[in-house]
Amino acid sequence: MPAQLAYKPIRAPGGHAQLLADPPWDSIPALIDQNRALAERASYDVQGLSLCRLRADARRHLLQEARRHTRAYRDVAASADGEGPLLLAGHQPQLFHPGVWFKNFALSALARRWGGQAVNLLIDNDILRQASIRVPTGSADEPQVVSVPFDRIVETIPFEQREVVDADLFGSFAERVQAAGNQLLAEPLVAEYWKLVLAARKRSANLGRCLAEARHRLEGCWGQDTWEVPLSAVCDGPAFAWFACHLLAHLPRFQDVHNTALHEYRRVNHVRSRAHPVPDLECDGAWYEAPFWLWSDASPSRKRAFVRSCGCGVELTDRAGLSVQLSLDADRDAGRAAEALVALGRRGVKLRPRALMTTMYARLVLSDLFLHGIGGAKYDQLTDLIVQRFFGLPPPGFMTLSATVLLFEDRTAELAARIRAAKQRLREFRFQPERHLAPDRGGNGWISEKLAWIRRDAPRGQRQVRHRELERLNTLLGAALERERHQTAADVARWTAELRRQTNLASREFAFCLFSEKKLRPLLLELSRGSV
């Protein structure tokens, strides 16, 4: 039976120090065992290799690259004995908020608890869209949020290719953040963190690597045992090339499954945009769009990859001057084509997975459990559908993790409640003033008259008279509350202005480097203990 989608809302935790863990922590051992059993039973043929064999080769290459990458800048703990589970998470190498960072702490705790190996993928095939973070500035009475850049924006190219452009701007980032947040930020982590970033800058000009290396070194100082590896290093290996060749060899069928599942996802989740969660894969005559990006070192702007059949196999192109012929078809093993892709990578030609393919490969081939954030978890409902319909396999289960960690106390709910209550009082002052008049403030006669009019069954033609009389009595009664009305209206105006100010500070999206270590470190460690 083909998998069917059901609407599944996934929302960030609402309050400070709250977390989302789906499924619950105590379900993780069973989920890992289930995923490993599914992998061991999978007899799917991946273009001449069994899925089990491909998994073994891919995992071995992943751990080799992760160990090599991590040991370049921090001590590497002994790897697991190979019997334990391999746990993965992943995110772009950027200055994300603590709710995203929490995944890395949970990843370490889960692997430690179950005797496995934890690896965080640096998703460097994505592009750097903003080279800045939002920083609270001003005073507590008049807070604002400004954008503080850490580099100049240039053409949008993948993290894998993105080097630091403005060394002076990059070098002064911590000082400018501290100056902007001087009155609001208490001992922000950015001072210590940016020293590590600048130390990494001496080893690599790649912006994402510098940000990620420094953050990972902090994690090591805080007792976390994960390894890290750029997705680009994984994709340069023969196992990924083999997997990609399989999809390219069966691209017409894959495209049909992909687009059909995508339309179902949009219908079930009431998504009208044709660009979300991902665009349809296009077909233009003999050309089929593949779920990969293609670019070269000489021209590092990501372009969509297209494939068509040709005499020797298939032609792979970005339709902008880059063209490659691969000895590949649906009935031939992928050995020669995979070797050709690996060789192309050495010459600076990059074939990289798009978002759904990244997590599909991570879950189906690389890991025993993948930890998703909220966005990835939503989209991977679509991935599950594609895995079952294209590969004919039950999709491996994943875990969704996120946390809400606020930089400032969130007073917005309290203020909004005050405003609602005050506006209700203002309405009652106008239409039910008697509810707020003490007996000693007079008006008893008017109250009695009002009650009499309310009880009176006014026939048609006299209802307008009753309405005018009730308005007159409410005005007379409300006159005694004029002082309270003015005070309440002033409170509403004051609280509304304060709500606007506090809304600037209530976001869960502030970068982790704006928090103090005294606040952030114990909280992330405490939240991750839910996993042990």
Side-chain angles (χ1 to χ4, degrees), residues 166-219:
D166 190 326
D168 292 337
L169 196 66
F170 195 73
S172 64
F173 175 67
E175 289 81 2
R176 288 182 288 109
V177 169
Q178 289 175 294
N182 181 47
Q183 296 188 53
L184 293 175
L185 299 178
E187 300 179 325
L189 188 59
V190 68
E192 176 187 357
Y193 169 66
W194 210 251
K195 291 177 183 177
L196 299 176
V197 171
L198 296 180
R201 174 80 171 82
K202 297 176 182 178
R203 288 184 290 274
S204 173
N206 184 275
L207 188 148
R209 299 277 181 99
C210 295
L211 300 181
E213 176 183 317
R215 185 256 313 141
H216 197 213
R217 287 183 66 187
L218 271 182
E219 291 173 19

Side-chain angles (χ1 to χ4, degrees), residues 391-410:
F391 295 97
L393 298 172
F398 60 86
M399 187 175 192
T400 307
L401 283 172
S402 189
T404 291
V405 180
L406 299 179
L407 187 57
F408 302 98
E409 178 187 1
D410 184 3

Side-chain angles (χ1 to χ4, degrees), residues 59-293:
R59 288 153 68 96
R60 183 165 51 251
H61 177 258
L62 169 77
L63 292 174
Q64 288 174 349
E65 290 299 311
R67 182 180 180 87
R68 181 189 62 80
H69 178 84
T70 305
R71 73 187 306 175
Y73 57 85
R74 60 172 267 195
D75 292 337
V76 176
S79 65
D81 58 14
E83 298 299 319
L86 177 54
L87 280 65
L88 260 63
H91 206 274
Q92 297 87 347
Q94 60 191 27
L95 299 177
F96 38 63
H97 62 83
V100 171
W101 200 14
F102 163 67
K103 279 194 307 177
N104 297 29
F105 289 78
L107 180 69
S108 177
L110 285 166
R112 187 181 300 144
R113 172 65 179 86
W114 303 110
Q117 181 62 54
V119 178
N120 184 52
L121 291 171
L122 302 175
I123 311 301
D124 59 349
N125 58 334
D126 208 344
I127 59 177
L128 176 66
R129 300 183 185 278
Q130 287 189 326
S132 62
I133 64 170
R134 297 168 64 250
V135 178
T137 189
S139 65
D141 293 332
E142 293 292 336
Q144 299 177 9
V145 176
V146 297
S147 179
V148 178
F150 50 82
D151 199 8
R152 283 193 290 111
I153 282 291
V154 291
E155 59 178 325
T156 51
I157 59 176
F159 279 100
E160 179 181 349
Q161 309 284 154
R162 177 62 155 85
E163 295 188 349
V164 175
V165 175
D166 190 326
D168 292 337
L169 196 66
F170 195 73
S172 64
F173 175 67
E175 289 81 2
R176 288 182 288 109
V177 169
Q178 289 175 294
N182 181 47
Q183 296 188 53
L184 293 175
L185 299 178
E187 300 179 325
L189 188 59
V190 68
E192 176 187 357
Y193 169 66
W194 210 251
K195 291 177 183 177
L196 299 176
V197 171
L198 296 180
R201 174 80 171 82
K202 297 176 182 178
R203 288 184 290 274
S204 173
N206 184 275
L207 188 148
R209 299 277 181 99
C210 295
L211 300 181
E213 176 183 317
R215 185 256 313 141
H216 197 213
R217 287 183 66 187
L218 271 182
E219 291 173 19
C221 293
W222 294 4
Q224 306 309 291
D225 296 327
T226 61
W227 292 357
E228 295 207 342
V229 62
L231 181 64
S232 55
V234 175
C235 294
D236 284 338
F240 176 79
W242 198 290
F243 181 79
C245 284
H246 177 60
L247 298 187
L248 297 179
H250 297 267
L251 188 54
R253 183 170 73 86
F254 180 86
Q255 189 180 103
D256 179 64
V257 169
H258 177 280
N259 289 349
T260 301
L262 178 57
H263 297 165
E264 184 174 333
Y265 178 94
R266 290 179 185 145
R267 176 180 56 79
V268 170
N269 290 278
H270 309 291
V271 176
R272 294 185 178 181
S273 169
R274 295 185 63 84
H276 290 90
V278 294
D280 287 36
L281 295 175
E282 294 182 3
C283 180
D284 182 9
W287 290 104
Y288 287 84
E289 184 180 359
F292 299 98
W293 299 114

